[in-house]
């Protein structure tokens, strides 16, 4: 996002696109008949992770499949993840669901947790928040940090259960103590905005930082925002740049837009508006609403690019369509004053109301 007092937030653990494979797989005691299955699974793990060999997802899949044929639940789960993500096989969500359900029914906690996401997201099955909550709770009751975190998310948003921010915080907090990065970020959000717990910016920064150190890109961006705005920590633009870069290396488009803001304003780096435009463009191409908004401003004002008010309006509108509050306000102004688009008082009023509802009234002095 652009400079703002609100860090980027993320609730659910990341869904089927960010499963942390093999973190907490439940494994039954090994018996002699399991030996070969375990051997195939271990070989598959080596090829999947690159442990002593070059990463080779196809070989990993072949070994997982051999192990799965022998009924080894961790292998069945791992094979399901490969079908979800397309690692070594053509993605096949229906096949993935069947494998994940088989492993979940066989007592694999990671599979149980993942099964909940199929229902939460409506992948391969009809979306069913009630069913997702039931599954997340079953995983949470057995101490699975992902289940705890995602059950918390459901309580926070009132999805499949009655909304209860205090209870949500409790689930996030329990998962965070297990070093589950998404939960640490969610605890930080709760402390930052007073959701289910008294607001405490110092604690918010602490949990953002813990999640960032655990490699969670969203939290790395949030740490950067804290340093940029002095929330819970002393303002330090160089540290902000460092954390935006860390998140950007993981493909987080919001942090790329924020890094562009630093280059545009010369905060923590030497001012370079041309580079800022490149970063905004990259973020916008990755569907970052903040990237589109900041790039629109550059085109509107001719900063680092040739002035083009029509293109500016188009970018503001695309950002606004994603619900970005600052862009909603700018679209209202464009319609009001005829900037890059024909003047339209009715649409100006419509977007002004949307901006106000989003907490960014038109003509406010809110910074990006």
């Amino acid at each position: 996002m652009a400079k703002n007092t609100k860090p980027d937030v993320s609730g659910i653990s990341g869904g089927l696109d960010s499963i942390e494979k093999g973190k907490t797989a439940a494994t039954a005691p090994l018996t002699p008949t399991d030996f070969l299955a375990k051997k195939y699974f271990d070989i598959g793990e080596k090829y999947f992770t690159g442990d002593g060999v070059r990463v080779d997802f196809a070989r990993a899949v072949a070994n997982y499949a051999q192990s799965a044929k022998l009924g080894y639940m961790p292998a069945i789960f791992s094979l399901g993840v490969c079908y979800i993500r397309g690692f070594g096989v053509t993605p096949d969500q229906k096949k993935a669901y069947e494998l994940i359900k088989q492993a979940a029914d066989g007592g694999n906690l990671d599979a149980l947790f993942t099964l909940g996401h199929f229902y939460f997201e409506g992948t391969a099955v009809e979306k069913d928040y009630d069913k997702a909550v039931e599954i997340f709770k079953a995983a949470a009751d057995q101490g699975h940090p992902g289940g705890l975190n995602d059950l918390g998310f459901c309580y926070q948003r009132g999805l499949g259960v009655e909304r209860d921010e205090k209870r949500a915080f409790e689930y996030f907090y329990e998962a965070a103590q297990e070093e589950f990065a998404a939960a640490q970020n969610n605890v930080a959000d709760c402390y930052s905005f007073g959701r289910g717990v008294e607001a405490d910016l110092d604690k918010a920064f602490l949990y953002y930082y813990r999640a960032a150190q655990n490699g969670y890109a969203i939290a790395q961006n949030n740490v950067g925002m804290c340093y940029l705005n002095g929330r819970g920590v002393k303002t330090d633009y160089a540290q902000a740049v460092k954390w935006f870069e860390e998140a950007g290396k993981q493909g987080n488009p919001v942090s790329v837009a924020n890094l562009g803001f630093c280059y545009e304003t010369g905060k923590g780096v030497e001012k370079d508006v041309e580079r800022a435009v490149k970063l905004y463009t990259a973020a916008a191409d990755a569907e970052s609403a903040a990237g589109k908004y900041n790039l629109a401003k550059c085109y509107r004002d001719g900063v680092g690019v040739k002035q083009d008010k029509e293109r500016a309006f188009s970018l503001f509108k695309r950002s606004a369509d994603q619900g970005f509050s600052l862009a909603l306000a700018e679209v209202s102004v464009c319609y009001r004053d005829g900037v890059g688009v024909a003047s339209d008082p009715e649409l100006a009023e419509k977007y002004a109301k949307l901006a106000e509802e989003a907490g960014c009234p038109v003509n406010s002095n809110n910074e990006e």
Side-chain angles (χ1 to χ4, degrees), residues 282-320:
D285 289 345
E287 295 303 316
S288 163
K292 294 171 188 175
Y293 170 80
N294 284 341
L295 186 59
K297 287 183 59 186
C298 291
Y299 277 106
R300 182 195 64 191
D301 301 332
V303 175
V305 291
K306 183 179 179 180
Q307 189 177 51
D308 186 336
K309 292 184 179 180
E310 287 76 17
R311 187 168 185 182
F313 172 77
S314 175
L315 286 162
F316 279 139
K317 180 67 165 53
R318 287 168 56 197
S319 179

Side-chain angles (χ1 to χ4, degrees), residues 125-174:
V125 292
E126 186 175 351
K127 183 179 288 189
D128 187 336
Y129 289 135
D130 291 345
K131 182 69 172 178
V133 166
E134 177 187 331
I135 295 171
F136 289 150
K137 188 175 188 307
D141 287 346
Q142 298 180 68
H144 192 284
L148 288 162
N149 178 69
D150 292 350
L151 186 58
F153 182 84
C154 292
Y155 272 105
Q156 186 180 72
R157 302 299 176 90
L159 300 173
V161 289
E162 185 176 348
R163 185 174 180 178
D164 187 335
E165 290 190 336
K166 185 176 184 296
R167 194 167 183 181
F169 173 78
E170 291 169 353
Y171 282 122
F172 291 149
Y173 187 83
E174 186 175 350

Side-chain angles (χ1 to χ4, degrees), residues 341-361:
V341 67
S343 178
D344 189 323
E346 290 186 7
L347 286 174
E349 183 178 356
K350 171 188 173 181
Y351 279 93
K353 289 181 178 178
L354 291 172
E356 185 171 4
E357 291 171 0
C360 186

Side-chain angles (χ1 to χ4, degrees), residues 17-340:
D17 281 338
S18 61
I19 296 167
E20 296 187 57
K21 204 184 74 58
K23 289 280 186 176
T24 57
T27 305
L30 188 66
T31 66
T33 55
D34 291 328
F35 177 78
L36 189 57
K38 180 68 164 57
K39 181 179 178 181
Y40 280 126
F41 174 74
D42 288 343
I43 294 172
E45 288 288 88
K46 286 181 180 294
Y47 280 112
F48 191 94
T49 62
D51 181 11
V53 296
R54 176 179 290 185
V55 170
D56 187 329
F57 292 136
R59 287 192 177 185
V61 166
N63 280 281
Y64 289 150
Q66 288 294 328
S67 181
K69 287 179 181 178
L70 297 173
Y72 196 59
M73 293 303 159
I76 295 170
F77 166 69
S78 295
L79 189 59
V81 171
C82 290
Y83 275 103
I84 291 172
R85 300 292 300 276
F87 290 139
V89 291
T90 301
D92 185 333
Q93 300 306 316
K94 184 178 179 181
K95 177 70 172 177
Y97 171 80
E98 293 170 353
L99 288 164
I100 295 299
K101 188 175 187 307
Q102 181 183 352
D105 290 344
N108 185 283
L109 273 184
D110 278 342
L112 181 64
F113 160 68
T114 304
L115 186 65
H117 280 278
F118 280 96
Y119 289 99
F120 188 91
E121 298 168 15
T123 305
V125 292
E126 186 175 351
K127 183 179 288 189
D128 187 336
Y129 289 135
D130 291 345
K131 182 69 172 178
V133 166
E134 177 187 331
I135 295 171
F136 289 150
K137 188 175 188 307
D141 287 346
Q142 298 180 68
H144 192 284
L148 288 162
N149 178 69
D150 292 350
L151 186 58
F153 182 84
C154 292
Y155 272 105
Q156 186 180 72
R157 302 299 176 90
L159 300 173
V161 289
E162 185 176 348
R163 185 174 180 178
D164 187 335
E165 290 190 336
K166 185 176 184 296
R167 194 167 183 181
F169 173 78
E170 291 169 353
Y171 282 122
F172 291 149
Y173 187 83
E174 186 175 350
Q177 306 320 302
E178 299 297 323
E179 295 301 314
F180 195 74
Q184 291 170 330
N185 187 76
N186 287 334
V187 167
D189 285 340
C190 291
Y191 277 124
S192 184
F193 307 121
R195 296 172 181 159
V197 67
E198 186 176 351
D200 187 324
L201 295 183
D202 292 341
K203 288 182 179 179
F205 175 77
L206 172 64
Y207 276 93
Y208 282 138
Y209 195 81
R210 284 176 60 183
Q213 287 185 311
N214 282 329
Y216 196 57
I218 292 170
Q220 291 172 342
N221 177 70
N222 288 340
V223 168
M225 291 300 293
C226 289
Y227 276 118
L228 185 66
N229 294 308
R231 287 176 61 84
V233 67
K234 185 177 179 180
T235 299
D236 188 327
Y237 296 138
Q239 282 292 314
V241 168
K242 170 194 169 183
W243 285 104
F244 291 149
E245 288 179 337
E246 286 296 315
K249 290 174 184 176
Q250 296 197 64
N252 183 279
V254 178
S255 66
V256 174
N258 288 333
L259 186 59
F261 176 81
C262 292
Y263 275 101
E264 182 185 355
T265 58
K267 292 183 174 179
V269 290
E270 185 176 348
K271 187 173 181 178
D272 186 336
V273 293
E274 286 77 17
R275 185 167 186 180
V277 168
K278 290 180 180 178
L279 289 165
Y280 291 152
T281 301
D285 289 345
E287 295 303 316
S288 163
K292 294 171 188 175
Y293 170 80
N294 284 341
L295 186 59
K297 287 183 59 186
C298 291
Y299 277 106
R300 182 195 64 191
D301 301 332
V303 175
V305 291
K306 183 179 179 180
Q307 189 177 51
D308 186 336
K309 292 184 179 180
E310 287 76 17
R311 187 168 185 182
F313 172 77
S314 175
L315 286 162
F316 279 139
K317 180 67 165 53
R318 287 168 56 197
S319 179
D321 288 344
Q322 291 179 246
F324 196 65
S325 61
L326 295 171
L328 289 165
E330 287 293 344
V331 169
S332 175
V333 171
C334 288
Y335 276 124
R336 184 192 69 193
D337 300 339
V339 179

